[in-house]
């Protein structure tokens, strides 16, 4: 059975516009797809959701790449990071809801990305050909929200380093089948409900194609079994 991993990068839960849209999309996928799927949700702002990737984990990483033995503390740190990556790698498709914070992504999403974006895990490197993403064959849907910024506004109303960074990261790890939907602005907007409905319609349309590709994954899994 195919698996969707939903990564919630908002701490606002019931008050989150991005989370509300993510749930709308997931419900639309369920309605559109003849096949069932497993849904796993990672709430990045839950206490303990992510391990610290600091001095010990960084030393563990360098020990691996230099062929040195890890200390017991480094082994624990590296295994904790690997568990986060394994959850990511096991999924067939991804749904991300990402509110813009200070023109960028929330810090916990960046932490999650820094944990799982490791050579030999999510990307490879060739001295002659450069980087290569290792997460091919997966699809992603990313929802981007922002309170004041919207495409085309004057510079005084903000800049977007959030969606551009995230799209580049998806491509870096090999997920080039990605759809991005924006709901903005959510605050400085004379017709918030109308703008939300446009985003919901776009997500509903995207759900049909998303569900179809999930069904293909499920069929391949049955054949391989």
């Amino acid at each position: 059975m195919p698996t969707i991993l939903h990564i919630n990068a908002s701490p606002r839960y019931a008050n989150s516009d991005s989370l509300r849209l993510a749930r709308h999309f997931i419900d639309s996928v369920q309605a559109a797809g003849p096949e069932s799927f497993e849904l796993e949700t990672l709430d990045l702002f839950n206490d303990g959701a992510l391990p610290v990737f600091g001095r010990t984990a960084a030393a563990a990483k360098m020990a691996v790449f230099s062929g040195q033995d890890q200390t017991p503390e480094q082994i624990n740190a590296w295994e904790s990071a690997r568990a986060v990556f394994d959850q990511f790698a096991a999924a067939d498709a991804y749904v991300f809801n990402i509110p813009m914070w200070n023109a960028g992504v929330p810090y916990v999403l960046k932490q999650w990305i820094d944990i799982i974006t490791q050579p030999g895990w999510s990307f490879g490197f060739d001295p002659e050909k450069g980087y290569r993403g290792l997460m091919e064959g997966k699809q992603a849907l990313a929802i981007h929200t922002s309170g004041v910024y919207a495409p085309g506004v004057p510079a005084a109303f903000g800049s977007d380093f959030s969606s551009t960074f995230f799209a580049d990261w998806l491509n870096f790890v090999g997920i080039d089948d990605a759809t991005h939907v924006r709901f903005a602005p959510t605050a400085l907007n004379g017709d918030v409900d109308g703008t939300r409905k446009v985003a919901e319609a776009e997500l509903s349309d995207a759900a049909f194609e998303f569900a179809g590709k999930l069904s293909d994954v499920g069929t391949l899994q049955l054949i391989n079994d």
Side-chain angles (χ1 to χ4, degrees):
M1 182 181 299
T3 301
I4 295 176
L5 177 60
H6 170 208
I7 296 92
N8 172 25
S10 172
R12 301 186 67 228
Y13 296 97
N15 295 317
S16 170
D17 287 306
S18 66
L19 180 56
R20 176 177 171 178
L21 289 175
R23 289 172 173 165
H24 171 85
F25 177 76
I26 292 168
D27 289 344
S28 298
V29 173
Q30 182 70 69
E35 303 292 337
S36 58
F37 60 85
E38 293 183 5
L39 175 66
E40 186 173 0
T41 299
L42 175 60
D43 288 318
L44 294 179
F45 276 95
N46 273 354
D47 291 341
L50 297 176
V52 173
F53 199 90
R55 180 171 59 184
T56 302
K61 173 179 179 177
M62 297 311 298
V64 169
F65 301 137
S66 61
Q68 299 177 355
D69 292 333
Q70 295 176 326
T71 67
E73 293 80 9
Q74 291 170 356
I75 291 173
N76 289 336
W78 195 240
E79 288 179 348
S80 295
R82 180 70 196 198
V84 178
F85 171 76
D86 286 344
Q87 180 189 38
F88 170 63
D92 300 294
Y94 309 98
V95 177
F96 298 88
N97 60 281
I98 308 169
M100 181 188 291
W101 281 22
N102 299 316
V105 300
Y107 68 91
V108 291
L109 178 58
K110 183 61 166 60
Q111 180 184 354
W112 179 80
I113 288 173
D114 287 340
I115 290 171
I116 66 174
T117 311
Q118 305 290 349
W121 293 6
S122 56
F123 73 92
F125 180 75
D126 183 281
E128 295 182 358
K129 298 181 180 180
Y131 293 106
R132 179 176 67 89
L134 301 179
M135 309 304 296
E136 297 123 326
K138 301 174 186 287
Q139 61 173 326
L141 185 289
I143 298 162
H144 304 274
T145 60
S146 49
V148 174
Y149 173 83
V153 300
F157 291 86
S159 300
D160 177 17
F161 302 109
S162 176
S163 66
T164 53
F165 160 77
F166 192 73
D168 183 71
W169 173 76
L170 286 175
N171 184 67
F172 180 77
V173 298
I175 305 175
D176 53 11
D177 185 359
T179 300
H180 298 265
V181 175
R182 187 186 296 273
F183 171 32
T186 62
L188 193 65
N189 189 332
D191 185 15
V192 173
D193 289 339
T195 306
R196 180 184 291 110
K197 288 178 180 178
V198 170
E200 288 176 345
E202 188 174 350
L203 289 168
S204 296
D205 290 341
F208 285 97
E209 183 176 359
F210 197 94
K213 292 176 182 177
L214 273 182
S215 296
D216 291 342
V217 170
T219 300
L220 287 173
Q221 289 175 346
L222 287 173
I223 293 173
N224 292 332
D225 290 343

